[in-house]
Amino acid sequence: DILFLWVARMIMMGIWFTGQEPYHTVYLHGLVRDEHGQKMSKTKGNVIDPIETVERYGADALRFTLLTGSAPGADMNLAESRIEYSRNFGNKVWQMSRFAWSNLDGYTPRPPDVTTLDLSGRWILSRLSKLISSVDRLFETYQYAEAGRQILDFLWSEFADWYVEISKNALYGEDRALRERTLDVLHFVLDRAPRRLQCLWRFRRLPPHPRLQLTRNGGREAARILVIAPPSFAGPLCARGTRASISYHSRRVASHSFTPASTAGSSSG
């Protein structure tokens, strides 16, 4: 509650003594409360120790939870389950990256040629292009919570749950050209989407890329991490109606409850 007064004092003192504003932008978030919405207090015993939390779940999981869980103008109810979910998301990104790198097997990925891709490849690239444009806009307007939510939803719910699973048919099939096109898309997405996480995940790194060779001083060649423009493609990606159809069917499958055959047979008898 006193942060506004503190900031105002610092600005006035800076202008008075130096004639310049000490800073032009101040980002204020709401209070971090416990999972029940109560204000944290040592007397209540509901304080979450950040040191213990970092040791248990990692600094990135805590950082990601705090940045994505506090919407502007609202307080945040911090539960340990949310931190655990963020850690699981980081593990998921690591696993899908390791899966893609392990399937390269000496192949050097190329930029995807959208004119030769199948529907799933064009769909995921269209979603990636939309994600990067949207997240960049959200970062510029300090909407970190929504930016993180969109990155998580894309990488976990669309890329991992759908495209990675679909790609296994091509990766383990006999069509060499289809396999290479699929690897191109996998590499392209994993080379770009996780970069947006660098503002939210400061310490976690992806598995070593096979193309990064060890240098003489023992380090690895520098890789472009964050600055990248939204991808442009020399061809149509995915029609709006097709994207809507894929999204609709994916939601139907995700919400469908399958009944085991034995149970269905016993109930019908």
Side-chain angles (χ1 to χ4, degrees), residues 9 17 30 33 54 81 126 135 143 154-155 159 162-163 174 181 192 198 211 214 221 226 228 232 262 268:
R9 185 189 66 175
F17 288 109
R33 301 177 179 271
V54 168
S81 58
S126 70
V135 168
Q143 300 183 57
F154 170 79
L155 285 174
F159 183 66
W162 286 95
Y163 186 75
E174 299 179 356
R181 291 196 296 270
R192 282 157 173 77
Q198 287 301 116
R211 291 193 300 165
L214 287 174
E221 295 178 0
L226 180 62
I228 183 171
S232 58
S262 57
S268 60

Side-chain angles (χ1 to χ4, degrees), residues 26 64 97 142 185 222:
V26 178
F64 185 80
S97 301
Y142 311 105
V185 175

